[in-house]
Amino acid sequence: MTAEEVATTLRSGGPFIPRGGGTKATWGLPTEGTELDLRGLDRIVAVDAGDMVCVVEAGVRLVDLQARLAEDRLALMLDPADGSQATVGGVLATNACGPLRHRYGKPRDLVLGAQFVLTDGTIARSGGRVVKNVAGYDIARLLCGSLGTLAVLCEVALRLHPLPARRRTVVAQATNPSDAARAARALAEAPLRAEAVEVAWPERVVWATFAGEGVLPGVEAEAPALPPLCLESGALLGFGVPTTATAALLALADATRTVIRLRAGVGVGEARTLDDEAFAAGVRTLGGHVSPRRDTTVGYERDPVSLDLMRAVKARLDPDDRLSPGRLWPVG
Amino acid sequence: MTLEAIVGVDHVLTTPAALAAYACDGLTSHRVQPQAVVLPATTDEVAAVVRWCRATGTPWVARGAGTGLSGGALPVAEGVVIGLARMRAIVSIDTANERITVQSGVTNLDVTRAVAADGLYYPPDPSSQQVCTIGGNVAENSGGAHCLKHGFTTHHVVAATFVTATGEVARLGSAVADPPGLDLLAVVIGSEGTLGIVTEVTLRLTRAPERVETLLAAFPSTDAAGEAVAAIIGAGVVPAAIEMMDRLTIEAAEAAVHAGYPTCEALLLIEIDGGADDVAATTRLVTDSVLAAGASETRTASTAEERARMWRGRKAAFAAMGRVSPDYYVQDGVIPRTRLAAVLRGIRALETSSGLRIGNVFHAGDGNLHPLVLYDRAVAGEAERASDVAAAILDLCLDAGGSITGEHGVGHDKACAMARMFTGADLTVMDRVRGAFDPTGLANPGKLLPTPRLCGEVPGFYRAHPTELAGLAERL
């Protein structure tokens, strides 16, 4: 599969829904169209160990890329809880994150450049292959989290990090929401910077990993084995809350029969809930927001002027609304 | 409605003397006098000025402190400059959530000053940080010496109040992470004032590290220093900063500020921050790496005063060039850092062939070169030769797989060079994004993207050459 073939397909009609491993196919509002399976874009184009940059096609599975990078003691510091099928393109298009978000940011923070195709068949690039670059609009970052609505990612350049020589995990069991919040904050503010600070609720587990030269050899605790949220039933929501709202969020989870995976130092996470309306309303009361991911009718609100700008960008890049129509806002 | 009615008669400048102060930014070789300079004090005033411009068809150029080095704030002769220097209020500080909201005219360093007592700071640190504004930093996606580990402006802005090119006010992003919808800030940051005007910015703050060490390493050649950079990165270390200076810039900086640098062909300044144990262990590792790469001498600085002295020469390097040359041009190119030694040899060759001296001072850790091409405009032809040499350096960067700008921006200076880095299709897509934000075409026209008027026969918007269409040639 090549970008030219993607362009030919896109010109042929639609609407199309770009997809990788299908692990996040329901994220966003409902959409309809023909699936455009990009798993044929499966080449790791370059791993430049000295520059800590790689160039890969969008359909490469994240696990396969990580295995290749580990040979050079490098890693792409993204660890979304999607199982083994997630592709690099899908992770970027959804801005999906896992615990490593705490230290390394989200996909848009690690992408350096992209080649992509518009619905009119235009094949274009933005950014480059170097870690520092301000030439032109940063369209590669704009495409991150755009849920396949603006363009089809074909190839991306990514910033890599060294695999830490030493990593240690600290696990604590909390008795109530405020204890959990206090423990998470203490871990996030430790002088030796954590790679991850997580709260799992209602399991009441607070855990953190630390990495670096200052991590002394010793007994290594295992990261807790927690069931991945996406395999269970109930509505799935992404959320963001102020980091000071951790205790209130966990209390809200108890009140709404919600399972939470929280990046406590960042204030983002995933929720599986049996009462999505009440959970979403509660999160908004805390000053946060939710993003629909699966089996939910919860939408989202943004200020009307910025929504107009989003619509204008979509209209310029995909004038006939042939890429994942309705994903960002209801059609019409 | 007149401009005076919007911002007050004292805040519309039209006299030639007043306008002259705004005729250029840090790229002083280009000057254009605008029709007027408008200095609004609020977001609503900025929006009203932009609506006035739209109603009258007047192009406008937003400006912070005017320290930009690519002519991004160069006025348009028939237009107005919208200066944001009066908008310098710190709106709110939320230390518990590590956020600060400031108006665009607040200086970069004042952000850190406002939160330092709470153990927080704002990491991006352009050399001009004492005077450059946050609004300008957002427009340029500014970097600095410490971006290697901590990221650029785009990694630290979480929300902005944004006056659109049609004069409406939008709230982009969110103080709380991961708002739903498109990440418009991703393109607004670094858009050089071509999409709208940011009037208020919410920044993510970073906790100040427990310990900071600065290591100075002297080398017998720039090649050896380049190899040391590769060795440090290869050892799995990401320092907060790795800066390199060559002999010419070391000598100029010494003469200017007496930083006490050793006499050598090249030196590295390496800063390591983090937890105390981590910094101690990492400093040992880095010291071993640079000695193995051939460093003739190393020094460390641990206290704030010692570190400030060590950095003084580096920070004064550009200004110090004034002592050794009447004029100089600061280039800003990026290369993959593994190509450092080879590209430096290419620059030396240009020095020999052009007869112009070139000083090198740069962010070695992220491959961002700042060659300083020295010339004397009083000598016939030297300015042109310097311009040719600067362009040739960009070609070296592009040939190595790099970029035409790492942090100074495209602006006016490199709009035509965009066509050397990007295809016509790439530039057309960027122009479509621009059109989505600015259907009026009045926002900083002539900047960032190449135009036929500006770039003559080589406009960026690629059209296949007849030989390509005939299959006789292909574009590589």
Side-chain angles (χ1 to χ4, degrees), chain A residues 100-320:
Chain A
L100 290 175
R101 166 73 181 272
H102 179 83
R103 169 107 150 228
Y104 303 99
K106 55 182 175 178
R108 70 85 91 182
D109 296 319
L110 298 175
V111 68
L112 304 173
Q115 181 201 50
F116 51 88
V117 186
L118 303 184
T119 44
D120 64 8
T122 301
I123 301 173
R125 288 179 186 274
S126 74
R129 290 182 174 201
V130 281
V131 294
K132 194 171 187 182
N133 176 16
V134 295
Y137 299 129
D138 206 337
I139 295 171
R141 286 192 218 280
L142 172 68
L143 296 181
C144 289
S146 67
L147 302 176
T149 59
L150 301 180
V152 174
L153 282 170
C154 288
E155 186 186 290
V156 293
L158 299 160
R159 179 174 184 171
L160 307 173
H161 284 82
L163 263 182
R166 304 190 187 118
R167 239 176 196 158
R168 293 288 178 272
T169 305
V170 175
V171 186
Q173 191 76 36
T175 51
N176 58 54
S178 54
D179 278 356
R182 237 186 346 263
R185 181 157 285 262
L187 289 166
E189 291 183 351
L192 179 61
R193 295 222 169 129
E195 279 193 306
V197 179
E198 293 276 305
V199 177
W201 207 262
E203 293 88 344
R204 302 184 173 235
V205 171
V206 181
W207 61 277
T209 57
F210 294 88
E213 293 302 318
V215 174
L216 301 173
V219 180
E220 183 159 7
E222 298 267 321
L226 297 163
L229 281 181
C230 53
L231 300 180
E232 303 183 24
S233 62
L236 197 67
L237 296 169
F239 64 83
V241 291
T243 54
T244 46
T246 297
L249 175 78
L250 301 178
L252 173 69
D254 282 340
T256 54
R257 291 184 294 165
T258 300
V259 180
I260 295 269
R261 298 288 179 266
L262 171 69
R263 316 287 82 96
V266 185
V268 299
E270 305 92 51
R272 179 177 66 77
T273 178
L274 295 176
D275 193 346
D276 52 350
E277 294 293 339
F279 178 75
V283 166
R284 288 177 187 134
T285 306
L286 296 175
H289 36 241
V290 297
S291 303
R293 290 189 176 172
R294 201 185 68 193
D295 297 330
T296 180
T297 53
V298 166
Y300 67 88
E301 288 168 5
R302 295 299 300 267
D303 85 78
V305 180
S306 69
L307 263 183
D308 284 348
L309 286 174
M310 291 178 200
R311 286 176 186 275
V313 169
K314 165 83 165 157
R316 291 274 174 159
L317 297 184
D318 176 25
D320 305 323

Side-chain angles (χ1 to χ4, degrees), chain B residues 403-420:
Chain B
S403 168
I404 59 170
T405 171
E407 58 186 4
H408 295 175
V410 175
H412 168 81
D413 193 31
K414 290 180 176 168
C416 298
M418 283 287 279
R420 288 166 36 206

Side-chain angles (χ1 to χ4, degrees), chain B residues 64-261:
Chain B
T67 56
L69 292 166
S70 59
L74 181 74
V76 175
E78 64 276 21
V80 299
V81 168
I82 303 176
L84 296 156
R86 289 175 67 214
M87 296 189 66
R88 46 176 184 257
I90 289 173
V91 178
S92 65
I93 298 174
D94 180 355
T95 52
N97 282 302
E98 297 170 351
R99 298 286 186 271
I100 185 170
T101 300
V102 299
Q103 289 185 324
S104 287
V106 170
T107 65
N108 173 295
L109 202 55
D110 275 346
V111 172
T112 289
R113 286 197 184 114
V115 296
D118 297 298
L120 298 168
Y121 79 115
Y122 177 66
D125 60 339
S127 301
S128 54
Q129 69 180 142
Q130 301 209 17
V131 288
C132 67
T133 65
I134 286 294
N137 290 180
V138 171
E140 300 297 317
N141 188 14
S142 298
H146 289 80
C147 289
L148 174 58
K149 179 174 178 181
H150 297 291
F152 311 99
T153 302
T154 190
H155 296 107
H156 299 274
V157 174
V158 296
T161 302
F162 179 73
V163 175
T164 70
T166 55
E168 295 178 284
V169 179
R171 182 74 182 159
L172 305 182
S174 161
V176 174
D178 291 4
L182 297 177
D183 185 359
L184 297 181
L185 276 176
V187 282
V188 166
I189 297 165
S191 63
E192 307 188 8
T194 62
L195 303 183
I197 302 180
V198 165
T199 57
E200 242 178 66
V201 188
T202 303
L203 302 168
R204 187 167 65 84
L205 298 167
T206 301
R207 271 175 302 107
E210 186 180 41
R211 189 178 174 88
V212 183
E213 292 250 12
T214 306
L215 181 78
L216 182 154
F219 292 88
S221 68
T222 50
D223 274 15
E227 280 159 25
V229 172
I232 293 164
I233 304 281
V237 174
V238 182
I242 308 179
E243 299 286 299
M244 190 193 288
M245 296 169 71
D246 71 358
R247 185 183 189 97
L248 183 58
T249 50
I250 294 166
E251 288 176 356
E254 266 308 303
V257 298
H258 313 292
Y261 289 161

